[in-house]
Amino acid sequence: MAVVRAKHDRSEPVREAIRLSATKLFEENGFEATGIRDIAREAAVNPAIVLRHFGSKENLFLETMDSSSAMRSIIEGPLEGLGARVVGLIVPGRQKGLEILGATVRASSKPDIRRRLHESIAASLIEPLIDRIDAPDGELRAHLFAAQLLGLMTAFAVYDDEYLLEAPLDGIIALYGDSLQALVTGN
Amino acid sequence: MAVVRAKHDRSEPVREAIRLSATKLFEENGFEATGIRDIAREAAVNPAIVLRHFGSKENLFLETMDSSSAMRSIIEGPLEGLGARVVGLIVPGRQKGLEILGATVRASSKPDIRRRLHESIAASLIEPLIDRIDAPDGELRAHLFAAQLLGLMTAFAVYDDEYLLEAPLDGIIALYGDSLQALVTGN
DNA sequence: GAGGTTTGTAAACGATGTTTGAAAAGTAAA
DNA sequence: TTTACTTTTCAAACATCGTTTACAAACCTC
């Protein structure tokens, strides 16, 4: 009785298995250290069909490693207390978005990946803030907020500042979250 | 007339030519997009002798792309006005150190390069600050100062925030330099 | 000038992302 | 069911990369 739209989705399970393996391996080992043949083996599939379905390794990375939703969710909620809240979201568990961000930054030699990184930050972090900041220089403030936030993310995800990783959260909030907050609501 | 120490420096001119070409190409195109054969061609030299003299492409990168001296010089001078000063040094000309930092960040898939990045930040940025900050939580403040500073650097060197690039310097100093300053001298 | 070390070269090696042709499996119409 | 056509799979080959190797040339030392 009417299989729902089996139009040309015959390969969808394979594609999904590949996406799953790619996500796992890219997150664990990054773009460069993850080979097409590794992904194929993990998905129990022939290396060539990874490329038949996704075109290129770079494109597969773009389809699986997307940090924009994580970024957007980070700045959700009221502007009051945003500084402390984002710091709290970033610091403790090294949430998933951080791994993706780190992998994306390290893969940004590839122009398309660099473009994606730029777009994610602009569309999911900066632009949503611009509309909400009610202060002179709102646009500048949004850009600087993003820069400062990414500074902390970078400390965790690209050079690993183990001191910051083990530092008490309230200290970081008091010193870093407050100046983030000052950017977003006037001084 | 005593040639000075021609001990085993017969190959030094070649090594220097290779270093020069490597520096230029790594800075322009990054680690991954620069091939051993490109460097060799630019230096008018056989590809194999690049590796004979430097061991590996990664090692050549480490010998030529070092951002620690640029970092150390950035935080020189009195603590008063440091926040505004570092922002002024970073923003305008996209000084050379920024290109090197960007290339290093993007090459940090390689464990040795990631380690170098970490060491440069720790030894040339954080540690010199710790000794000079005269406030409670001095160590935490130094680490957060580095994180925030690298946030701005990242905005210029890894995702290219063209808005910040063209923003007036005094606006950035007022909003970003001041909170950097607050980290380094109490609130 | 002979012996030994350093420096240069061409060719090959192994691994990578990717392409290619043909076989296999599926789909649809007769 | 048979036929024709499309989609999916696979093994093999390809181009490029960093690197190694084996050998020749240049140099230094005695």
Side-chain angles (χ1 to χ4, degrees), chain A residues 147 151 154 159, chain B residues 71 101 121 125 145-155:
Chain A
T154 296
Y159 72 97
Chain B
M71 283 186 174
L101 178 74
I121 295 171
L125 208 55
F145 182 92
Q148 183 168 347
L149 182 56
L150 279 160
L152 193 58
M153 288 173 160
T154 296

Side-chain angles (χ1 to χ4, degrees), chain A residues 49-94:
Chain A
I49 98 170
V50 174
L51 292 172
R52 170 172 287 284
H53 285 308
F54 291 94
S56 70
K57 176 181 165 185
E58 191 175 337
N59 201 64
L60 179 55
F61 184 88
L62 287 170
E63 276 204 30
T64 51
M65 303 272 100
D66 189 355
S67 57
S68 37
S69 73
M71 282 185 176
R72 186 169 274 114
S73 74
I74 265 186
I75 57 160
E76 273 175 355
L79 243 53
E80 281 73 18
L82 182 63
R85 217 161 58 244
V86 298
V87 170
L89 281 175
I90 301 273
V91 167
R94 286 184 140 235

Side-chain angles (χ1 to χ4, degrees), chain B:
Chain B
M1 12 317 251
V3 177
V4 269
R5 311 196 87 284
K7 228 169 110 180
H8 53 77
D9 292 28
R10 213 166 82 235
S11 63
E12 185 49 34
V14 181
R15 295 175 53 98
E16 188 56 24
I18 294 173
R19 255 185 243 111
L20 235 59
S21 306
T23 303
K24 173 171 179 256
L25 294 179
F26 280 145
E27 252 175 39
E28 284 176 2
N29 309 320
F31 177 79
E32 189 176 315
T34 302
I36 292 276
R37 289 166 177 86
D38 300 326
I39 298 173
R41 194 180 319 117
E42 175 94 9
V45 129
N46 188 285
I49 100 172
V50 174
L51 292 172
R52 171 178 285 287
H53 285 307
F54 292 93
S56 71
K57 176 181 164 185
E58 192 175 335
N59 201 64
L60 178 54
F61 184 88
L62 286 170
E63 276 204 30
T64 51
M65 303 272 100
D66 189 355
S67 56
S68 36
S69 73
M71 283 186 174
R72 185 169 275 114
S73 74
I74 264 187
I75 57 161
E76 273 175 355
L79 243 52
E80 281 74 17
L82 181 63
R85 218 162 57 242
V86 298
V87 170
L89 281 176
I90 301 274
V91 167
R94 287 184 140 235
Q95 57 139 198
K96 186 156 178 177
L98 270 186
E99 312 280 344
I100 296 180
L101 178 74
T104 305
V105 165
R106 272 185 260 269
S108 65
S109 309
K110 309 281 182 187
D112 286 352
I113 296 183
R114 187 203 286 233
R115 190 172 310 118
R116 160 69 66 83
L117 175 63
H118 184 259
E119 285 170 3
S120 295
I121 295 171
S124 305
L125 208 55
I126 298 176
E127 277 164 28
L129 271 180
I130 291 183
D131 302 332
R132 302 169 63 202
I133 296 181
D134 184 32
D137 297 318
E139 191 166 4
L140 179 59
R141 285 168 179 271
H143 282 263
L144 291 176
F145 182 92
Q148 183 168 347
L149 182 56
L150 279 160
L152 193 58
M153 288 173 160
T154 296
F156 291 123
V158 350
Y159 71 98
D160 300 275
D161 191 322
E162 62 276 348
Y163 178 92
L164 279 185
L165 243 165
E166 299 179 5
L169 180 55
D170 45 348
I172 300 183
I173 289 181
L175 290 170
Y176 208 82
D178 279 9
S179 67
L180 274 169
Q181 185 67 37
L183 278 174
V184 88
T185 57
N187 291 340

Side-chain angles (χ1 to χ4, degrees), chain A:
Chain A
M1 39 274 285
V3 178
V4 270
R5 310 196 88 283
K7 229 170 107 179
H8 52 79
D9 293 29
R10 212 165 84 235
S11 63
E12 185 50 34
V14 181
R15 294 175 53 97
E16 187 56 25
I18 294 172
R19 257 185 241 110
L20 235 60
S21 306
T23 303
K24 172 170 180 257
L25 294 179
F26 279 145
E27 251 174 40
E28 283 176 2
N29 309 320
F31 178 79
E32 189 175 313
T34 302
I36 291 275
R37 289 166 177 85
D38 300 327
I39 298 172
R41 194 180 318 116
E42 174 94 9
V45 129
N46 187 285
I49 98 170
V50 174
L51 292 172
R52 170 172 287 284
H53 285 308
F54 291 94
S56 70
K57 176 181 165 185
E58 191 175 337
N59 201 64
L60 179 55
F61 184 88
L62 287 170
E63 276 204 30
T64 51
M65 303 272 100
D66 189 355
S67 57
S68 37
S69 73
M71 282 185 176
R72 186 169 274 114
S73 74
I74 265 186
I75 57 160
E76 273 175 355
L79 243 53
E80 281 73 18
L82 182 63
R85 217 161 58 244
V86 298
V87 170
L89 281 175
I90 301 273
V91 167
R94 286 184 140 235
Q95 58 141 196
K96 187 156 179 180
L98 271 187
E99 313 279 346
I100 296 180
L101 179 74
T104 305
V105 164
R106 271 184 261 268
S108 65
S109 310
K110 310 280 181 186
D112 287 352
I113 296 182
R114 188 205 285 233
R115 190 171 311 119
R116 161 68 67 81
L117 175 64
H118 183 257
E119 286 170 3
S120 295
I121 295 171
S124 306
L125 209 56
I126 299 177
E127 278 165 25
L129 272 179
I130 291 183
D131 302 333
R132 303 170 64 199
I133 296 182
D134 185 31
D137 297 319
E139 192 166 2
L140 178 59
R141 285 169 180 272
H143 282 264
L144 291 176
F145 182 92
Q148 184 169 346
L149 183 56
L150 279 159
L152 192 58
M153 286 172 161
T154 296
F156 291 123
V158 349
Y159 72 97
D160 301 273
D161 191 322
E162 62 276 347
Y163 178 91
L164 280 186
L165 244 165
E166 299 180 7
L169 181 55
D170 47 348
I172 300 182
I173 290 182
L175 290 170
Y176 208 82
D178 278 10
S179 67
L180 274 169
Q181 185 67 37
L183 278 174
V184 89
T185 58
N187 289 344

